[in-house]
């Protein structure tokens, strides 16, 4: 090989390297200017798909394909209230799929002017001024303090277990409950629109909720108080008393709602439980 041929080969190699570097630079420039245009969201229940997309890809920079890929690979996931975690999968240039794993929020407590939402473990996951639909307000409990992202300081673990058990049963039987009030004996009363349901103590709670589920188809548009506190699943013909409020409509008799079980109505409205 002549000395003259060596510089020519080196020049050709140099040109190839420059071409490759130029192509890489152009590709990176293309990616830097490419924005995510389509965002699919799976597992969203508490938030809408658009709300979650706005949380995760909040700024134009975060919607940049190259930045989003690097951030997803090496960065930290965002902290989103009510969300335990999420993953981002890149389907192609400008398209991603976000899979969300939401926390199970069972109720909220009003404390110092804020709604304090807590999950199934009793951990406060958000302080908000907004009321979230489908999550009941819990009243009758007192707290000296509540700390965000810490467990509620309940008197005992047994007390919170009863709250959790009741809220899970409400979810299982697809009941729409606005508020759950606990008295000083920890007996529960549900507020469902205009209907108040006295459940009493924790005994036979699932049977009580199952009975309530069957009654609400008729009672949901009524107003008054239904007592299931003395429910006895061994009784041959148990009686459930529904006392209609004075201004309530008379569209359906409570006997129908109770599937043939005893009931009565009166013009006097009962005193609600003390808050």
């Amino acid at each position: 090989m002549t000395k003259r041929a060596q510089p020519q080969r080196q020049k050709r190699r140099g040109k190839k390297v420059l071409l490759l570097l130029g192509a890489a630079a152009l590709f990176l420039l293309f990616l830097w200017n490419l924005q995510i245009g389509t965002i699919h969201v799976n597992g969203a229940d508490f938030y809408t798909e658009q709300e979650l997309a706005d949380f995760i890809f909040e700024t134009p920079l975060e919607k940049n394909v190259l930045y989003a890929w690097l951030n997803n690979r090496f960065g930290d996931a965002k902290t989103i209230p009510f969300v335990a975690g999420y993953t981002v999968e890149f389907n192609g240039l400008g398209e991603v799929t976000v899979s969300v794993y939401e926390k199970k929020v069972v109720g909220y407590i009003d404390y110092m002017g804020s709604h304090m939402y807590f999950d199934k473990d009793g951990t406060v996951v958000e302080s908000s001024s907004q009321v979230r639909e489908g999550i009941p307000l819990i009243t009758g409990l007192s707290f000296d303090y509540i700390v965000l992202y810490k467990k509620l300081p309940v008197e005992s673990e047994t007390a919170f277990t009863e709250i959790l058990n009741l809220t899970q049963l409400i979810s299982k039987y697809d009941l729409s409950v606005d508020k759950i009030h606990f008295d000083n004996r920890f007996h529960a009363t549900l507020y469902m629109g205009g209907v108040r349901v006295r459940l009493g103590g924790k005994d036979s709670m699932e049977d009580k909720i199952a009975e309530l589920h069957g009654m609400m188809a008729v009672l949901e548009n009524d107003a008054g108080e239904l007592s299931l506190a003395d429910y006895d699943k061994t009784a041959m013909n148990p009686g459930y008393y529904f006392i209609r409020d004075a201004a309530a409509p008379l569209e359906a008799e409570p006997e129908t709602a109770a599937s043939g079980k005893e009931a009565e109505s009166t013009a006097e409205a009962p005193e609600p439980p003390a808050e």
Side-chain angles (χ1 to χ4, degrees):
M1 183 180 294
T2 65
K3 292 182 178 179
R4 188 182 224 175
Q6 288 179 349
Q8 289 178 345
R9 288 192 174 185
Q10 290 175 350
K11 286 181 180 179
R12 284 197 294 268
R13 288 197 199 99
K15 288 180 180 179
K16 287 181 180 178
V17 171
L18 288 174
L19 287 172
L20 288 173
L21 289 174
L26 288 173
F27 182 67
L28 289 174
L29 183 62
F30 168 73
L31 289 179
W32 187 251
N33 289 285
L34 182 64
Q35 296 285 300
I36 296 172
T38 304
I39 303 172
H40 305 286
V41 179
N42 298 325
D45 183 35
F46 197 82
Y47 293 105
T48 66
E49 292 186 6
Q50 187 60 52
E51 284 175 330
L52 284 168
D54 291 342
F55 265 124
I56 298 169
F57 304 101
E58 186 176 1
T59 66
L61 178 61
E62 289 172 329
K63 287 184 178 180
N64 173 265
V65 170
L66 181 59
Y67 179 89
W69 185 85
L70 291 171
N71 188 52
N72 183 61
R73 188 75 181 267
F74 304 106
D76 295 325
K78 289 191 174 183
T79 300
I80 304 174
F82 309 115
V83 173
Y86 64 88
T87 60
V88 179
E89 180 182 354
F90 289 79
N91 306 325
L93 293 177
E95 182 176 345
V96 298
T97 297
V98 180
S99 297
V100 179
Y101 309 96
E102 294 184 332
K103 296 176 181 178
K104 179 62 178 177
V105 179
V106 299
Y108 72 95
I109 292 168
D110 282 342
Y111 179 75
M112 297 184 67
S114 294
H115 306 311
M116 312 295 286
Y117 290 88
F118 59 92
D119 65 14
K120 63 182 182 63
D121 299 316
T123 301
V124 179
V125 296
E126 189 188 35
S127 172
S128 174
S129 60
Q130 185 177 2
V131 174
R132 298 283 184 175
E133 186 177 352
I135 300 178
L137 169 65
I138 310 297
T139 64
L141 306 177
S142 60
F143 301 95
D144 294 329
Y145 64 93
I146 295 179
V147 180
L148 193 60
Y149 308 126
K150 299 291 185 181
K151 292 192 72 171
L152 286 170
V154 293
E155 296 177 1
S156 67
E157 286 296 323
T158 303
F160 183 74
T161 300
E162 291 185 34
I163 296 174
L164 177 58
N165 180 55
L166 179 53
T167 54
Q168 287 178 332
L169 288 173
I170 289 169
S171 177
K172 176 181 177 180
Y173 287 92
D174 196 27
L175 295 175
S176 179
V177 176
D178 305 312
K179 182 172 70 172
I180 305 172
H181 177 77
F182 291 94
D183 64 16
N184 54 11
R185 294 178 298 168
F186 218 73
H187 288 188
T189 298
L190 307 184
Y191 289 75
M192 309 171 68
V195 177
R196 303 175 300 280
V197 184
R198 290 186 181 273
L199 295 175
K202 64 180 181 179
D203 295 338
S204 303
M205 187 59 75
E206 180 158 9
D207 295 313
K208 295 174 184 177
I209 297 298
E211 289 285 337
L212 176 61
H213 174 75
M215 300 176 189
M216 286 308 298
V218 172
L219 292 180
E220 62 181 353
N221 295 320
D222 215 324
E225 183 169 289
L226 172 68
S227 178
L228 295 176
D230 297 324
Y231 173 84
D232 181 4
K233 65 180 180 180
T234 64
M236 295 294 294
N237 186 28
Y240 307 130
Y241 292 90
F242 179 78
I243 304 175
R244 181 177 282 113
D245 288 347
L250 299 173
E251 294 180 357
E253 289 302 317
E255 298 91 82
T256 305
S259 301
K261 297 177 174 118
E262 296 176 9
E264 72 175 41
S265 61
T266 179
E268 293 295 323
E271 290 292 326
E275 296 293 324

